[in-house]
């Protein structure tokens, strides 16, 4: 006898966090839509998981993993998350991943301000990316294919610099240690540690899995017993200056217009976020940087582009009086942001406007999605017509 299946469908906003309990669902959740719809479902699914687990919802939350996997059927314009999972915008491929049960753990981020949780997400842009989305949202009456190009061109014509203050915790990638008769290269990721031990007569490669609590770390020689030990290294790094755009991404963000991904130096579940900073430059050079995304060339091969792998970021425009860097305490005084102080964020294709410092934290493998880890698309299949 066939097992009875129950399907709950909704086209309304906030349905996952508003009225659906995890215990009332069976085995699967499937979202058919674009980046905005997927972002809303992911946020609602993770938020409901925290509520069911009895977690206090605030900016310093240590979230629990969502108990149910999420399937994504791409039906939008860019479909960044679907491309990163499936390598293609193809509903049949997405459905096959769900049918075959191919589950891929994916890192996610929390975005918070003043100890208030704003949302869960995977990627964000501030500066040029945020203003472009804000302008596009004001022209919702335009067809989606034209609205994006219009917003990019108009934002480029009115290119603005913002004086940023960024504090971040960098992730140590490798350590090279020279000894008397050998060289030890330690390559560290939040999932594995690779040891490459080389002597004049032989070389040995080994790797082992490690827990997230041990990272980031570096190896340090102990002079007393001539051994090596791991040591925690959670020092905040401070960056400030006039910048055009800041991207913080926990997934590679593949799409037809960016075959290498918007953040090719990170993966779906490697426990890192890509921090991409575009400093001040001419409009002509900035356009060259944007056009490079549509090719297989390195889009970061510019003197004004800076990239880091991080696990935590605090970002604040210096025009905001109450924002301080991570090395100082906040004054604690209330602040009402004026229209000049309110800045737009592009979080997974959704517009978020805030006048406060935003704190972004990475949470490894926070949600399971149906798909697989795609390195990059093999060929360019689309181009941005506005550049």
């Amino acid at each position: 006898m066939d097992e009875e299946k129950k399907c709950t469908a909704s086209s309304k906003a906030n349905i996952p966090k508003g009225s659906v309990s995890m215990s009332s669902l069976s085995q699967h959740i499937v979202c058919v839509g674009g980046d905005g719809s997927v972002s809303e479902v992911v946020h609602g699914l993770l938020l409901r998981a925290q509520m069911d687990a009895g977690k206090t919802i605030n900016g310093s939350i240590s979230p629990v993993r969502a108990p149910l996997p999420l399937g994504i059927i791409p039906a939008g314009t860019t479909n960044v998350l679907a491309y990163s999972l499936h390598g293609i915008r193809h509903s049949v491929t997405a459905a096959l991943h769900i049918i075959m049960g191919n589950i891929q753990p994916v890192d996610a981020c929390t975005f918070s301000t003043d100890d208030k949780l704003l949302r869960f997400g995977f990627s964000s842009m501030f500066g040029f990316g945020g203003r472009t989305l804000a302008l596009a949202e004001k022209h919702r009456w335009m067809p989606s294919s034209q609205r994006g190009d219009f917003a990019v061109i108009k934002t480029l014509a009115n290119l603005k610099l913002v004086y940023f203050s960024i504090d971040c915790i960098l992730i140590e990638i490798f350590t090279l240690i020279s000894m008397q008769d050998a060289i030890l290269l330690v390559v560290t990721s939040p999932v594995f540690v690779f040891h490459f031990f080389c002597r004049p007569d032989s070389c040995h490669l080994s790797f082992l899995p490690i827990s997230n609590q041990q990272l980031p770390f570096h190896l340090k020689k102990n002079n007393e017993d001539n051994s090596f030990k791991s040591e925690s290294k959670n020092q905040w790094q401070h960056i400030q200056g006039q910048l055009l755009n800041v991207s913080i991404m926990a997934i590679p963000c593949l799409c037809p217009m960016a075959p290498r991904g918007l953040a090719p130096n990170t993966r779906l579940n490697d426990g890192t976020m890509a921090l991409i900073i575009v400093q001040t430059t001419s409009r002509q050079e900035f356009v060259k940087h944007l056009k490079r995304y549509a090719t297989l060339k390195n889009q970061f091969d510019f003197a004004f582009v800076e990239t880091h792998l991080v696990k935590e970021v605090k970002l604040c425009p210096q025009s905001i009086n109450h924002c301080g860097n991570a090395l100082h305490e906040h004054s604690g005084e209330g602040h009402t942001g004026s229209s000049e102080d309110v800045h737009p964020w592009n979080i997974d294709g959704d517009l978020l406007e805030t006048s406060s410092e935003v704190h972004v934290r990475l949470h490894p493998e926070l949600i399971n999605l149906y798909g697989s880890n795609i390195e990059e698309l093999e060929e360019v299949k689309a181009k941005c017509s506005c550049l």
Side-chain angles (χ1 to χ4, degrees), residues 141-375:
W141 54 270
M142 296 177 65
S144 59
S145 58
Q146 300 176 14
R147 186 170 63 241
D149 292 349
F150 167 79
V152 170
I153 292 174
K154 191 165 183 179
T155 308
L156 278 173
N158 189 27
L159 205 56
K160 292 182 179 179
L161 290 170
V162 179
Y163 195 86
F164 283 102
S165 173
I166 302 173
D167 294 280
C168 59
I169 298 179
L170 303 181
I171 291 179
E172 188 88 3
I173 298 301
F174 67 89
T175 305
L176 183 64
I177 302 172
S178 298
M179 292 175 281
Q180 252 186 346
D181 59 346
I183 294 177
L184 176 63
L185 175 63
V186 182
V187 181
T188 303
S189 83
V191 181
F192 293 99
V193 173
F194 295 83
H195 289 172
F196 186 73
F197 190 76
C198 190
R199 292 181 179 274
D201 56 343
S202 65
C203 291
H204 178 68
L205 175 66
S206 63
F207 69 95
L208 67 158
I210 55 178
S211 63
N212 294 321
Q213 286 75 15
Q214 293 174 291
L215 293 171
F217 77 93
H218 70 284
L219 296 181
K220 187 177 75 173
K221 188 172 182 179
N222 189 322
N223 294 325
E224 296 180 358
D225 56 6
N226 200 32
S227 63
F228 293 90
K229 66 179 182 178
S230 63
E231 180 180 281
S232 177
K233 190 178 182 181
N234 289 331
Q235 296 181 352
W236 287 92
Q237 305 292 323
H238 185 65
I239 305 170
Q240 65 180 25
Q242 287 187 326
L243 309 173
L244 284 172
N245 188 73
V246 176
S247 299
I248 306 169
M249 299 181 173
I251 61 175
C253 295
L254 299 172
C255 65
M257 291 176 289
R260 297 184 69 245
L262 300 178
N265 50 342
T266 190
R267 293 296 180 266
L268 290 174
N269 65 333
D270 67 349
T272 67
M273 290 190 300
L275 173 62
I276 304 165
I277 302 170
V278 181
Q279 302 171 358
T280 177
T281 188
S282 66
R283 182 180 289 104
Q284 181 180 7
E285 289 298 306
F286 184 59
V287 169
K288 288 181 181 179
H289 164 65
L290 295 180
K291 294 177 73 172
R292 188 73 67 86
Y293 278 95
T295 70
L296 295 177
K297 297 180 181 179
N298 182 8
Q299 62 262 43
F300 306 139
D301 190 19
F302 294 91
F304 55 87
V305 179
E306 186 177 342
T307 63
H308 302 279
L309 288 179
V310 300
K311 70 172 187 178
E312 196 167 348
V313 178
K314 294 180 180 179
L315 188 149
C316 178
Q318 287 293 85
S319 60
I320 300 175
N321 295 328
H322 79 297
C323 278
N325 60 54
L327 303 178
H328 300 85
E329 295 291 335
H330 292 293
S331 64
E333 299 176 356
H335 174 79
T336 302
S338 64
S339 58
E340 292 80 9
D341 287 339
V342 176
H343 297 272
W345 281 73
N346 180 342
I347 301 180
D348 294 331
D350 281 346
L351 180 63
L352 176 68
E353 295 181 317
T354 179
S355 60
S356 304
E357 175 186 85
V358 175
H359 187 184
V360 186
R361 291 188 299 140
L362 179 72
H363 304 281
E365 301 186 350
L366 189 60
I367 189 170
N368 287 329
L369 304 176
Y370 285 102
S372 58
N373 204 335
I374 304 297
E375 289 297 319

Side-chain angles (χ1 to χ4, degrees), residues 15-220:
I15 187 69
K17 62 182 178 181
S19 61
V20 179
S21 172
M22 297 298 105
S23 59
S24 68
L25 299 174
S26 177
Q27 296 178 345
H28 313 281
I29 301 177
V30 177
C31 174
V32 182
D35 290 328
S37 300
V38 173
S39 173
E40 182 179 319
V41 172
V42 167
H43 174 67
L45 186 61
L46 287 170
L47 186 62
R48 189 70 205 201
Q50 313 316 309
M51 296 165 61
D52 291 348
K55 291 278 187 176
T56 301
I57 308 299
N58 55 33
S60 58
I61 187 174
S62 297
V64 298
R65 179 186 291 186
L68 298 176
L70 173 65
I72 300 171
I73 306 294
T77 305
T78 54
N79 303 287
V80 164
L81 188 54
Y83 262 104
S84 299
L85 284 165
H86 311 141
I88 189 173
R89 183 192 179 277
H90 194 243
S91 57
V92 175
T93 299
L96 286 174
H97 278 294
I98 298 172
I99 294 170
M100 297 173 65
N102 296 331
I103 293 179
Q104 172 65 47
V106 178
D107 299 342
C109 308
T110 51
F111 297 85
S112 59
T113 180
D114 298 329
D115 202 35
K116 175 186 176 182
L117 178 66
L118 297 175
R119 66 179 299 124
F120 292 93
F122 301 101
S123 63
S124 62
M125 287 186 285
F126 189 93
F128 177 82
R131 290 198 303 275
T132 300
L133 178 63
L135 183 60
E137 289 298 309
K138 293 179 180 179
H139 296 79
R140 297 290 297 180
W141 54 270
M142 296 177 65
S144 59
S145 58
Q146 300 176 14
R147 186 170 63 241
D149 292 349
F150 167 79
V152 170
I153 292 174
K154 191 165 183 179
T155 308
L156 278 173
N158 189 27
L159 205 56
K160 292 182 179 179
L161 290 170
V162 179
Y163 195 86
F164 283 102
S165 173
I166 302 173
D167 294 280
C168 59
I169 298 179
L170 303 181
I171 291 179
E172 188 88 3
I173 298 301
F174 67 89
T175 305
L176 183 64
I177 302 172
S178 298
M179 292 175 281
Q180 252 186 346
D181 59 346
I183 294 177
L184 176 63
L185 175 63
V186 182
V187 181
T188 303
S189 83
V191 181
F192 293 99
V193 173
F194 295 83
H195 289 172
F196 186 73
F197 190 76
C198 190
R199 292 181 179 274
D201 56 343
S202 65
C203 291
H204 178 68
L205 175 66
S206 63
F207 69 95
L208 67 158
I210 55 178
S211 63
N212 294 321
Q213 286 75 15
Q214 293 174 291
L215 293 171
F217 77 93
H218 70 284
L219 296 181
K220 187 177 75 173

